Amino acid sequence: MKSPAHRTRDIERHAGYLKPEHCAPPPPRTGSDTMWFIRDSCGIVCGIITWLLVFYAEFVVVFVMLLPAKNVAYSLINGVLFNGLAFLALASHAKAMCTDPGAVPKGNATKEFIESLQLKPGQVVYKCPKCCSIKPDRAHHCSVCKRCIKKMDHHCPWVNNCVGENNQKYFVLFTMYIALISFHALLMVAFHFVFCFEEDWTKCSNFSPPATVILLILLCFEGLLFLIFTAVMFGTQVHSICTDETGIEQLKKEERRWAKKSKWMNMKVVFGHPFSVAWLSPFATPDHGKADVYQYIV
């Protein structure tokens, strides 16, 4: 007896049953296809809100807390640290948003392509009826991106993109750096409140005391909310990487047909081989090296 998940994917291996005549040839790639960007209004709004919230935190940290501080070393160290982490967070967000997450070529389920695969007897291929593509193992269709994504974990509106094989590293870095700047901002707000209670409020900020309190309270609310959300997301992503099981695979409880690797090797598959400081850089493209992305049980 086959499970419902297997029945929906049980496609015969011969080209006739795949109905390739219903699939138009894939569109030719042009120069505009080199940059990946999803035209989803909800995702675009969420992405803009993310950047605005980071800029708001920058404004409060720099102009409300650091510049008015009398201790130059305190302002300089915290300013460099916070702005550096914020820059890495936004760079990671941009890379996660504009990197192809692993989209399967659209409309490649043509008769010519299926015949070119030279399938062996008993070998099965799967066709996605929505994007008319030959679906690789561990790929799932995203209704927002309108494409099948290899090793798709989930679609995140905050980065306006799917989290998949090619951009999971940048998404993990984004959640990590946002959690770090949120924690750092909360620490600075706590120190600033203590300083202002001991000193004259008019001397601890360039703004009026009511405006300063409102700005700091809003920053506390934003920092606490983002810290909890991104820390939990960071933890779930690291757990997903270490167990080599995407969020969708866990949700659907799909049968594991790929070889089990060590947690350290799974980390190298996502962040690059070998381990280096480039793991923390959103500008470094992961080099898998000896870390095989797909190892299946024979």
Side-chain angles (χ1 to χ4, degrees):
M1 180 67 67
K2 296 184 179 180
S3 64
H6 281 91
R7 284 199 297 267
T8 57
R9 290 171 59 89
D10 191 11
I11 307 296
E12 297 292 339
R13 78 277 306 166
H14 56 80
Y17 193 84
L18 289 171
K19 298 180 180 179
E21 64 274 5
H22 294 277
C23 295
R29 292 184 62 86
T30 61
S32 59
D33 294 329
T34 56
M35 179 179 176
W36 178 271
F37 186 78
I38 301 301
R39 294 174 178 82
D40 175 58
S41 56
C42 177
I44 294 174
V45 170
C46 288
I48 293 174
I49 291 176
T50 301
W51 280 63
L52 291 178
L53 288 173
V54 174
F55 287 146
Y56 172 78
E58 286 267 6
F59 170 77
V60 176
V61 168
V62 174
F63 293 99
V64 177
M65 292 190 288
L66 295 183
L67 288 181
K70 297 178 181 180
N71 192 326
V72 178
Y74 171 84
S75 299
L76 186 62
I77 294 173
N78 283 283
V80 171
L81 180 60
F82 185 85
N83 283 280
L85 292 175
F87 172 76
L88 290 173
L90 293 178
S92 301
H93 182 272
K95 288 285 287 185
M97 180 171 57
C98 298
T99 299
D100 181 348
V104 179
K106 194 172 184 179
N108 68 349
T110 60
K111 185 176 181 180
E112 293 76 13
F113 180 76
I114 295 171
E115 292 176 348
S116 68
L117 296 177
Q118 297 181 347
L119 302 176
K120 299 177 182 179
Q123 186 177 357
V124 178
V125 294
Y126 302 104
K127 169 191 168 184
C128 176
K130 298 178 181 178
C131 61
C132 222
S133 300
I134 297 299
K135 184 183 292 187
D137 289 321
R138 306 189 70 182
H140 293 84
H141 186 86
C142 174
S143 58
V144 180
C145 297
K146 296 180 175 58
R147 299 286 290 276
C148 283
I149 308 297
K150 289 182 282 187
K151 288 188 70 175
M152 174 183 171
D153 186 87
H154 69 288
H155 184 92
C156 179
W158 295 105
V159 297
N160 188 34
N161 201 0
C162 276
V163 178
E165 181 178 289
N166 296 339
N167 68 340
Q168 189 173 24
K169 169 193 173 180
Y170 309 125
F171 181 77
V172 173
L173 291 181
F174 166 66
T175 57
M176 182 184 73
Y177 287 128
I178 289 293
L180 288 176
I181 65 173
S182 299
F183 181 71
H184 190 199
L186 289 173
L187 284 179
M188 287 190 287
V189 169
F191 283 128
H192 199 74
F193 266 118
V194 171
F195 171 76
C196 289
F197 276 126
E198 295 178 353
E199 300 288 339
D200 186 0
W201 274 87
T202 57
K203 296 180 181 179
C204 69
S205 176
N206 294 330
F207 298 86
S208 64
T212 300
V213 172
I214 292 174
L215 291 171
L216 292 178
I217 290 177
L218 289 176
L219 180 60
C220 278
F221 178 76
E222 176 192 342
L224 187 61
L225 186 66
F226 269 75
L227 175 60
I228 295 174
F229 177 75
T230 54
V232 171
M233 184 61 69
F234 174 78
T236 57
Q237 285 293 301
V238 172
H239 177 265
S240 176
I241 293 171
C242 290
T243 58
D244 192 19
E245 193 174 20
T246 66
I248 290 182
E249 290 167 348
Q250 294 175 18
L251 185 64
K252 293 185 175 182
K253 297 181 180 179
E254 295 185 355
E255 180 185 357
R256 189 184 187 99
R257 292 175 290 104
W258 53 94
K260 187 176 182 180
K261 301 187 290 291
S262 66
K263 295 179 180 179
W264 186 241
M265 182 59 69
N266 290 332
M267 293 289 287
K268 290 180 179 179
V269 169
V270 175
F271 291 94
H273 182 92
F275 170 77
S276 68
V277 71
W279 280 27
L280 302 176
S281 173
F283 304 103
T285 303
D287 180 14
H288 300 301
K290 298 179 182 179
D292 190 2
V293 180
Y294 297 104
Q295 291 180 349
Y296 293 95
I297 301 174
V298 180

